Amino acid sequence: MPGAAEVVGVTRVVVTGGRVTVEEGTARVEATKCVVLLPRMDGSSTPVAAKALSEALLAEYDELLARHAPVHGELHDPGRNST
């Protein structure tokens, strides 16, 4: 198909309380107080890329946020760092 791209994606589901079960590619979240979804995408469809993406999401949430927040902060508010 013209213009089509192959992409692989993984999502880490982090819950406070409750539980997460996965069956046949479907995640079910029950009785939680908070759910955070941490998605990661890449322009490759190989199993190796999916494994690397999954491993990248194993870092603690605060570490992931610290790496991500400056990039998104500038994207959503380019003037915030202006002096």
Side-chain angles (χ1 to χ4, degrees):
M1 172 187 293
E6 292 193 16
V7 176
V8 64
V10 297
T11 301
R12 178 178 168 193
V13 180
V14 180
V15 299
T16 302
R19 67 174 185 233
V20 178
T21 56
V22 179
E23 187 175 316
E24 297 180 18
T26 300
R28 181 181 179 118
V29 179
E30 299 178 283
T32 63
K33 293 180 181 183
C34 178
V35 177
V36 177
L37 302 176
L38 303 169
R40 186 89 191 245
M41 306 289 288
D42 188 87
S44 172
S45 62
T46 67
V48 173
K51 184 174 192 252
L53 289 174
S54 295
E55 289 172 356
L57 288 176
L58 292 177
E60 291 297 320
Y61 177 78
D62 289 340
E63 179 185 339
L64 294 170
L65 181 61
R67 292 191 318 226
H68 185 74
V71 174
H72 259 259
E74 288 192 21
L75 287 172
H76 293 287
D77 188 7
R80 88 182 162 128
N81 290 328
S82 299
T83 53

